[in-house]
Amino acid sequence: MSTFVEQWIEEAARLTQPAHIVWCDGSEEQEQRILWQMLEERHTLRLNERTYPNCYLHRSSPTDVARSEKATHICSRSESDAGPTNHWIAPAEAKEKLTALFRGAMEGRTMYVVPYIMGPPDSPLAQAGVELTDSSYVVANMRVMARMGRVATERVKSSGDFVRGLHSLGDLSPDRRFIMHFPEERLIWSVGSGYGGNALLAKKCHALRIASWMAREQGWLAEHMLILGLEDPSGRVTYMAAAFPSSCGKTNLAMMVSALEAQGYRVWTVGDDIAWMRIGADGRLRAINPEAGFFGVAPGTSLSTNPHVVAAIQRNTIFTNCGLTAAREPWWEGMSPEPPAGLFDWQGRPWSPGQVPAAHPNSRYTVPAAQVPAISPHWEDNEGVPISAFIFGGRRSRLTPLVYEALDWNHGVYIGATLASETTAAATGDLGVTRRDPMAMLPFCGYHMGDYFQHWLDLGSRVPRPPKVFHVNWFRKDADGQFLWPGFGENVRVLKWILERIEGKGSALETPIGLLPSPGALTLDGLNFTGEQMEILLHVDPNDWTEEHAGIGRFFETFGERLPQELLDEHGQLGERLAHAASAPRHSVGKGGKTPRKD
Ligand code: SAT
Ligand code: MN
């Protein structure tokens, strides 16, 4: 008698008609065979074996270079459960549509069975999954990004408790590309793309969309967040989780080389993209990184922006859509001041300086987490690390100050729910337009976002020691369009203030939008900063914020009845504080001082 997983594989094989079925065991030997297969298919080449040992460059189809939000659907039984921020198709209709696309799609090809575990295998938060795919590139990436093979095989054979993903490249046409999630069945069907979050089904599809649905049912959180540990001079490490939309610097923040290292502050990396969190026995929110690797944006990555990842990606790394030098090394904009001579672009064509970049703006590296020198010694702790702060952030060239703190949990949820950012190349669509991206989960929340906000509000009352909530903006620009804040390793100065606030030490000023560092509260020594520049960075303009407030009101309307009353209350209170801003002078709420409301 065959098991649940075997029956499902048989059924998928009957539909897609592969010539071979290969169970992936995660072994080195099989890995080498899969890499050979990848090289045979001619979209992948081996990089310089001396300078980049065991590294590969893969070139995707030119129309398949980023996540496709238009093609992504939540196929819950009830349309209203998907909510206004997701595309929805009825499950039966979605299956009918994709059955036609899957039929015979793997003829003459190999179907790989990829069993995997998200999270440290013995963690109570870990989950199993199986992806069936006809892409050797997907297998090679999954082996880095998830714990693949034997560790997972026994689990998926002995229990039906795993997420199923069926993936085929199809004909790679954007017109026949669909990423369908069936949250009630813990099932994902994806066809027509071989790229990133569209195809590595363990990542955004399982670990965020399906997991967020499960997290709501089961009382935990699956979030689009990095996890870092900030070590202080006494050697104590405080963990923070931060949500930024795709390609806003989560990886660089998580791996930062601290500008205050001489003073004893350093950053440890736990995760760079996804956090699964639940209330621990100690009453604190405990977070694991479900992934085993980093799928990071390449352009802009250099020794000065992220030396830790540069050290990591010298070996065992898959590069996708980067440029290629004459020495068979990867190259992208920002790696070195001058492009080397004899460069090929991301499609393999000889490149010359001009309008178009050599590397695709969403080109990526896939690297094992353990290779990052700053990886936390606790990154695989089964219980997870205790989270003391949530940080929300986006790209805002105007309006939003460098950092501010929420007045309390509900206000923090409001700040997260109204997060906005200027769009980047991580998804296809317009660049640089401001879009609201609640908790950076807009493309990843697998259910109605109004219910998601309620879940966050409820959780706050269930966690005995909830994290404090902050908002940061590294991207504010001056009147000449120049970034005001140096960013990268200097961001530790903001983390230090956050740490001091957690410890009840840092001093803050009350403004209508929340608590800002009081003058002198941010450690700026060693930085060439005038008081005037700091003033602009921290400025809160009541007029601009009144406009923002109105925009938030319109955004909230899209959620209708399912927008929690608590958020409407927060919205009303912000409106009142803004209206009074002109008459009420700012006052200090520093050490031991009073905050306007329960802290
Ligand atoms: O979804 S991807 O993993 O391809 C990229 C992203 O949005 O972070
Ligand atoms: Mn992401």
Side-chain angles (χ1 to χ4, degrees):
M1 203 187 77
S2 57
T3 62
F4 178 63
V5 70
E6 285 161 348
Q7 284 170 25
W8 170 60
I9 295 166
E10 278 163 28
E11 201 183 296
R14 262 197 308 278
L15 175 61
T16 58
Q17 295 291 315
H20 313 279
I21 299 180
V22 172
W23 269 83
C24 297
D25 57 17
S27 69
E28 194 50 48
E29 186 204 348
Q30 192 181 57
E31 168 75 358
Q32 289 309 321
R33 254 183 285 138
I34 290 166
L35 289 168
W36 270 112
Q37 180 64 33
M38 235 165 91
L39 297 173
E40 291 269 287
E41 286 163 13
R42 298 207 324 273
H43 303 292
T44 307
L45 44 95
R46 200 189 274 270
L47 292 172
N48 187 320
E49 196 45 46
R50 196 173 48 79
T51 51
Y52 282 86
N54 198 29
C55 289
Y56 296 82
L57 172 67
H58 176 80
R59 295 183 180 130
S60 73
S61 158
T63 56
D64 183 30
V65 292
R67 249 184 319 105
S68 321
E69 291 182 8
K70 271 208 274 288
T72 303
H73 295 74
I74 300 296
C75 310
S76 47
R77 283 181 204 127
S78 146
E79 178 169 9
S80 68
D81 285 340
T85 58
N86 283 309
H87 302 296
W88 177 84
I89 300 185
E93 198 187 322
K95 284 189 182 161
E96 197 183 305
K97 209 178 177 107
L98 265 68
T99 295
L101 297 174
F102 274 127
R103 185 165 291 128
M106 298 189 190
E107 256 169 44
R109 307 168 55 82
T110 298
M111 173 197 272
Y112 297 96
V113 179
V114 183
Y116 65 86
I117 289 180
M118 297 307 276
D122 294 324
S123 168
L125 274 152
Q127 287 184 17
V130 178
E131 175 167 354
L132 309 179
T133 178
D134 57 3
S135 161
S136 51
Y137 166 80
V138 164
V139 180
N141 276 268
M142 286 282 287
R143 184 169 184 265
V144 177
M145 296 306 295
R147 286 146 179 104
M148 176 187 124
R150 276 199 193 103
V151 277
T153 308
E154 271 320 300
R155 204 171 303 191
V156 301
K157 279 192 171 167
S158 61
S159 143
D161 186 16
F162 61 90
V163 171
R164 294 171 295 159
L166 174 59
H167 170 254
S168 171
L169 295 170
D171 64 4
L172 289 176
S173 158
D175 300 333
R176 284 176 291 282
R177 178 176 301 161
F178 295 96
I179 301 101
M180 305 289 201
H181 303 72
F182 306 91
E184 284 112 336
E185 292 177 71
R186 315 274 191 257
L187 176 69
I188 305 151
W189 277 13
S190 166
V191 67
S193 166
Y195 205 88
N198 293 340
L200 311 177
L201 302 185
K203 194 174 175 56
K204 307 295 190 180
C205 300
H206 174 167
L208 286 175
R209 298 196 191 92
I210 299 283
S212 62
W213 178 291
M214 296 171 71
R216 174 167 171 254
E217 280 180 348
Q218 301 164 359
W220 51 283
L221 290 175
E223 299 298 325
H224 190 208
M225 289 182 171
L226 68 88
I227 310 164
L228 63 79
L230 178 62
E231 183 178 325
D232 71 11
S234 77
R236 223 171 52 135
V237 181
T238 302
Y239 296 92
M240 310 176 181
F244 297 75
S246 299
S247 196
C248 282
K250 280 204 302 298
T251 305
N252 290 344
L253 183 62
M255 296 179 192
M256 170 212 300
V257 175
S258 155
L260 300 178
E261 201 144 316
Q263 294 183 31
Y265 292 91
R266 62 179 295 181
V267 168
W268 295 99
T269 312
V270 178
D272 82 328
D273 196 40
I274 300 176
W276 284 356
M277 292 169 279
R278 63 160 201 185
I279 305 169
D282 57 357
R284 306 192 59 187
L285 207 55
R286 296 233 155 216
I288 63 161
N289 169 11
E291 300 189 281
F294 300 118
F295 180 66
V297 178
T301 303
S302 71
L303 278 174
S304 65
T305 60
N306 192 337
H308 284 148
V309 92
V310 171
I313 61 181
Q314 306 299 315
R315 58 190 203 283
N316 311 324
T317 300
I318 303 163
F319 296 89
T320 308
N321 290 347
C322 299
L324 178 71
T325 72
R328 290 181 82 79
E329 294 176 350
W331 192 86
W332 47 78
E333 279 62 28
M335 181 194 257
S336 53
E338 289 302 321
L343 196 59
F344 295 90
D345 74 4
W346 61 277
Q347 293 180 74
R349 301 171 303 201
W351 181 83
S352 47
Q355 297 298 305
V356 290
H360 188 278
N362 192 38
S363 56
R364 301 266 171 163
Y365 52 77
T366 315
V367 64
Q371 287 184 197
V372 170
I375 196 77
S376 161
H378 298 287
W379 85 281
E380 294 186 287
D381 280 8
N382 288 334
E383 294 303 316
V385 294
I387 299 297
S388 300
F390 279 137
I391 305 172
F392 294 111
R395 282 174 193 269
R396 296 302 293 265
S397 27
R398 332 179 26 248
L399 187 80
T400 322
L402 179 63
V403 58
Y404 62 104
E405 179 187 334
L407 304 172
D408 57 24
W409 179 262
N410 282 8
H411 182 225
V413 176
Y414 176 81
I415 289 173
T418 58
L419 188 64
S421 187
E422 290 146 21
T423 50
T424 66
T428 44
D430 294 334
L431 289 184
V433 296
T434 304
R435 88 168 176 180
R436 287 215 184 269
D437 189 348
M439 276 90 168
M441 282 287 277
L442 184 74
F444 307 120
C445 181
Y447 61 101
H448 195 297
M449 215 142 205
D451 296 346
Y452 171 73
F453 298 149
Q454 191 64 59
H455 180 48
W456 264 79
L457 291 162
D458 294 346
L459 194 94
S461 52
R462 282 179 38 234
V463 195
R465 295 163 64 195
K468 270 178 174 276
V469 182
F470 297 82
H471 186 286
V472 298
N473 176 24
W474 318 132
F475 302 95
R476 196 164 188 169
K477 291 181 176 170
D478 64 16
D480 302 328
Q482 299 296 315
F483 287 116
L484 282 154
W485 179 249
F488 303 106
E490 307 295 349
N491 291 337
V492 74
R493 299 169 189 275
V494 173
L495 299 185
K496 177 172 179 275
W497 180 75
I498 290 175
L499 174 63
E500 288 161 0
R501 292 298 296 165
I502 294 166
E503 293 174 335
K505 289 193 290 209
S507 77
L509 285 179
E510 183 197 333
T511 78
I513 64 166
L515 305 167
L516 268 72
S518 26
L522 281 174
T523 306
L524 295 178
D525 42 296
L527 263 192
N528 215 352
F529 240 76
T530 64
E532 199 189 333
Q533 280 170 303
M534 207 58 220
E535 186 99 329
I536 314 176
L537 257 177
L538 292 177
H539 184 61
V540 176
D541 186 305
N543 290 328
D544 287 352
W545 273 95
T546 302
E547 215 174 281
E548 175 82 354
H549 184 257
I552 292 171
R554 288 190 295 275
F555 175 65
F556 273 180
E557 278 167 21
T558 60
F559 298 102
E561 302 245 293
R562 274 156 102 157
L563 186 80
Q565 185 58 41
E566 290 94 323
L567 290 188
L568 282 173
D569 294 346
E570 287 298 328
H571 189 61
Q573 285 161 24
L574 173 60
E576 279 168 32
R577 291 196 300 270
L578 287 168
H580 290 130
S583 51
R586 297 179 3 157
H587 62 272
S588 176
V589 288
K591 202 170 165 181
K594 270 192 133 165
T595 51
R597 301 183 318 163
K598 175 171 81 69
D599 206 330

